[in-house]
Amino acid sequence: MHSDSNPIDFELLQRLKAGDHVAFEELYNQYSKKLYWKLKQMVKYPSEADELLQNLFVKVWEKREQIVIHQTFEGYLYRVAQHMAIDYFRSLDRQSRLQDEVSRTGAIIAENTEALLFAKETQQLLDEAVASLPEQRRRAFILCKLEGKSHQEAAEIMNISPNTVHNHLVKAVYTVRQHLLKSGRDITILALLIALFQRFS
């Protein structure tokens, strides 16, 4: 036995390792108060310290067969308590980061929802703007901006040059934006993009 070991603890630990509930209760009564104050100093909150204390002794019972009885039991308990406190603060940090992410995501959802509603309000104006485009410009706009085709692919479909496709697109986008701006509405780029997506999806 280690010279620092308590003979009474040694006997109780032997009984504990054998599954003796009475020995477990005696050890709990002997060390729980000291451990509670130690945990309270580490985590600051009485309720959290009490919960950690209970969890600590649950671990002691569950891992009783792994306890090295030639080491001081008090030192063993303090080491376990320290690790549990560290895990507690890590958990708090994860929760804090999760809450920040939830708040950030909520703000984005609210912002995007507002943009979606605004986009719906501009739907009629957008329909008019697209309908007002000459056929070739409208076709180039749909092929490239909505169907995701390259200028080269659109050129082959329309039987025109890629440069002509580009010119059609520039004029089409300008026409649509001007039509919307003339309505006097403060239409954001995001609202316009969402409305365009909804119109042709």
Side-chain angles (χ1 to χ4, degrees):
M1 185 187 305
H2 194 285
S3 59
D4 292 335
S5 298
N6 185 324
I8 298 177
D9 283 358
F10 185 82
E11 179 187 352
L12 289 173
L13 287 170
Q14 285 182 313
R15 291 165 52 194
L16 172 66
K17 287 169 69 70
D20 189 330
H21 287 275
V22 175
F24 173 77
E25 292 177 7
E26 290 184 29
L27 288 166
Y28 178 87
N29 292 333
Q30 182 175 340
Y31 291 107
S32 60
K33 188 174 182 179
K34 291 180 182 178
L35 283 170
Y36 170 78
W37 290 110
K38 185 72 174 179
L39 285 165
K40 186 180 176 182
Q41 287 178 340
M42 288 189 276
V43 302
K44 308 304 180 186
Y45 298 102
S47 60
E48 299 296 339
D50 185 64
E51 183 175 353
L52 288 175
L53 176 68
Q54 304 309 316
N55 290 338
L56 188 156
F57 274 95
V58 169
K59 287 180 179 290
V60 168
W61 177 257
E62 291 176 344
K63 299 181 180 297
R64 61 188 181 280
E65 295 180 359
Q66 302 173 22
I67 297 173
V68 180
I69 60 177
H70 293 294
Q71 296 178 352
T72 60
F73 188 57
E74 185 172 5
Y76 167 80
L77 291 175
Y78 283 152
R79 284 192 298 274
V80 175
Q82 186 175 29
H83 287 307
M84 292 183 70
I86 291 172
D87 289 342
Y88 166 78
F89 285 114
R90 284 176 178 167
S91 176
L92 283 184
D93 182 58
R94 286 193 297 269
Q95 291 177 17
S96 177
R97 284 187 277 117
L98 178 60
Q99 289 175 352
D100 290 343
E101 181 65 19
V102 169
S103 297
R104 186 183 69 83
T105 303
I108 292 174
I109 290 173
E111 180 180 343
N112 288 346
T113 299
E114 182 179 355
L116 282 168
L117 291 174
F118 191 76
K120 289 180 179 179
E121 293 174 0
T122 65
Q123 195 69 60
Q124 184 176 356
L125 289 172
L126 183 59
D127 288 344
E128 293 173 357
V130 173
S132 71
L133 293 172
E135 182 180 353
Q136 288 290 80
R137 293 181 193 176
R138 182 170 63 251
R139 196 175 180 195
F141 185 82
I142 293 174
L143 287 171
C144 295
K145 296 301 183 182
L146 304 176
E147 296 182 6
K149 290 182 170 55
S150 67
H151 289 192
Q152 182 63 44
E153 290 172 328
E156 292 175 0
I157 293 172
M158 298 175 66
N159 197 28
I160 57 179
S161 70
N163 187 57
T164 302
V165 170
H166 173 74
N167 291 335
H168 279 319
L169 286 173
V170 171
K171 292 175 182 177
V173 171
Y174 176 80
T175 300
V176 169
R177 292 184 65 183
Q178 287 300 112
H179 184 88
L180 295 175
L181 289 172
K182 286 178 182 178
S183 70
R185 303 286 296 280
D186 182 19
I187 299 173
T188 65
I189 295 299
L190 178 59
L192 175 57
L193 290 175
I194 294 174
L196 282 170
F197 176 78
Q198 290 180 333
R199 171 63 179 81
F200 294 99
S201 60

